[in-house]
Amino acid sequence: IHDTTLGPALGGTRMWNYTNEEDALQDVLRLSRGMTFKASISGLKLGGGKAVIIGDSTTQKTKALMRKFGQYVDSLGGKYITAEDVGMNTKDMEYVRMETKYVTGIPESMGGSGDPSPVTAYGVYMGMKASAKFKWGSDNLRGKKVLVQGVGNVGRNLIELLTDEGAEIWVNEINSEKLAKVANDYDVKVISENIYTADGDIYAPCALGGTLNESTIPMLKCAIVAGGANNQLAKETIHDDLLIKHNILYAPDFLINAGGLINVYSELKGFSNQQVKEKTETIFDTTIEI
């Protein structure tokens, strides 16, 4: 829990096979701080929090583990509200819900808002279009070359939106199964080598954070960075300046990837899907303003 000034701390749970507890702790502290920024800049009455579970989500996740985690969330008495993140899905939240009411992102069949990924991707898309308008004078992405790093739930939904607009999409993904599926479903080109040195107009990091650092930024040939990953800058006060030095426009991650948070917030406030969409569209205006 990073901050509860504006309201209870809301943020997803990430299950990841961290090398050690120190790495997990550093990640969860960075993520929870990002959630505070995300809620605040989106005008939501929420604080920032996040949870991580150390383990392999494909082999070590069980119903019993999720229920035990739910008991822990419940013990915090509503100071923290959880949801899904990397390595988690709506079914997991269903198990957490058996033990606590302080959970969002539950299936629509249970009255929840379901998977937040499509809304997250829509917000990233809005931020990307706003960045294009600021940089090139038009928000039309037709023919623009977009490098999407990570084709999980958010990356895949973003690819769909970009495909509909006629962008040229290049993808990079460490999971060969996900990559094969996206390559089969969409007209994308695969970057098997270094994505940072690839020619492109927009770099969209949609995997894990920290990909913008002193070694990768000088390699970039794009004009804009706009993606769905959290904490894209390895060190904020150093790497934001380095992006400026290389004349690269950076759309703040905690602003443009806030759609998922807006989506789960709707469960607490009873917003309709249309209201969620309209609220997420304001990301375009905020990006332009910044």
Side-chain angles (χ1 to χ4, degrees):
I1 295 169
H2 174 260
D3 193 288
T4 55
T5 305
L6 297 175
L10 194 154
T13 301
R14 171 173 293 187
M15 188 163 182
W16 190 257
N17 222 352
Y18 293 96
T19 312
N20 52 52
E21 284 192 22
E22 192 179 332
D23 285 359
L25 188 60
Q26 187 181 1
D27 199 32
V28 80
L29 291 171
R30 278 170 59 92
L31 288 165
S32 60
R33 177 172 173 264
M35 293 307 293
T36 299
F37 292 168
K38 199 180 292 195
S40 176
I41 203 166
S42 304
L44 309 179
K45 291 182 172 62
L46 293 171
K50 205 81 178 182
V52 298
I53 297 173
I54 302 172
D56 186 335
S57 64
T58 59
T59 58
Q60 294 177 281
K61 192 167 60 174
T62 62
K63 180 179 177 179
L65 176 67
M66 289 298 95
R67 290 190 68 165
K68 182 58 73 176
F69 174 66
Q71 289 169 20
Y72 179 73
V73 171
D74 201 61
S75 75
L76 297 171
K79 197 174 180 184
Y80 169 65
I81 301 166
T82 198
E84 59 265 59
D85 195 73
V86 175
M88 291 284 163
N89 55 46
T90 52
K91 188 71 184 171
D92 302 321
M93 295 306 109
E94 205 175 307
Y95 296 144
V96 172
R97 186 74 176 80
M98 290 175 177
E99 304 295 338
T100 184
K101 64 181 180 184
Y102 303 118
V103 54
T104 55
I106 55 175
E108 291 182 70
S109 58
M110 295 175 68
S113 59
D115 179 11
S117 306
V119 190
T120 303
Y122 187 61
V124 172
Y125 176 62
M126 287 290 111
M128 195 181 279
K129 285 175 76 67
S131 302
K133 185 167 177 61
F134 180 82
K135 192 85 175 179
W136 299 311
S138 168
D139 68 0
N140 193 338
L141 299 174
R142 176 169 292 281
K144 295 296 182 191
K145 188 171 174 182
V146 185
L147 314 173
V148 180
Q149 183 181 33
V151 295
N153 294 337
V154 174
R156 197 179 63 251
N157 280 288
L158 179 62
I159 286 166
E160 189 163 322
L161 291 163
L162 292 169
T163 298
D164 291 345
E165 187 154 344
E168 185 185 333
I169 306 159
W170 292 67
V171 297
N172 177 255
E173 166 64 61
I174 55 170
N175 184 315
S176 54
E177 282 178 33
K178 285 182 185 174
L179 188 60
K181 179 157 175 45
V182 164
N184 183 60
D185 293 349
Y186 301 98
D187 181 19
V188 298
K189 296 179 178 71
V190 175
I191 302 173
S192 49
E193 67 283 357
N194 189 345
I195 191 169
Y196 306 108
T197 57
D199 277 315
D201 298 303
I202 301 168
Y203 164 51
C206 294
L208 297 178
T211 61
L212 296 169
N213 53 53
E214 55 271 6
S215 60
T216 59
I217 292 170
M219 294 183 203
L220 293 174
K221 294 173 182 170
C222 61
I224 292 169
V225 173
N230 287 306
N231 305 319
Q232 293 166 24
L233 298 166
K235 294 192 182 105
E236 282 165 20
T237 52
I238 296 169
H239 299 134
D240 48 6
D241 284 341
L242 196 54
L243 284 167
I244 292 168
K245 188 179 162 189
H246 287 269
N247 196 28
I248 298 170
L249 184 71
Y250 173 65
D253 47 25
F254 59 85
L255 165 64
I256 73 168
N257 69 13
L261 180 61
I262 293 167
N263 194 58
V264 292
Y265 182 69
S266 71
E267 284 183 41
L268 306 176
K269 297 295 176 184
F271 293 160
S272 67
N273 287 348
Q274 184 57 32
Q275 285 172 299
V276 169
K277 189 167 188 276
E278 287 168 7
K279 178 72 177 160
T280 306
E281 279 170 359
T282 65
I283 288 172
F284 182 98
D285 303 315
T286 311
T287 307
I288 291 283
E289 195 180 328
I290 288 170

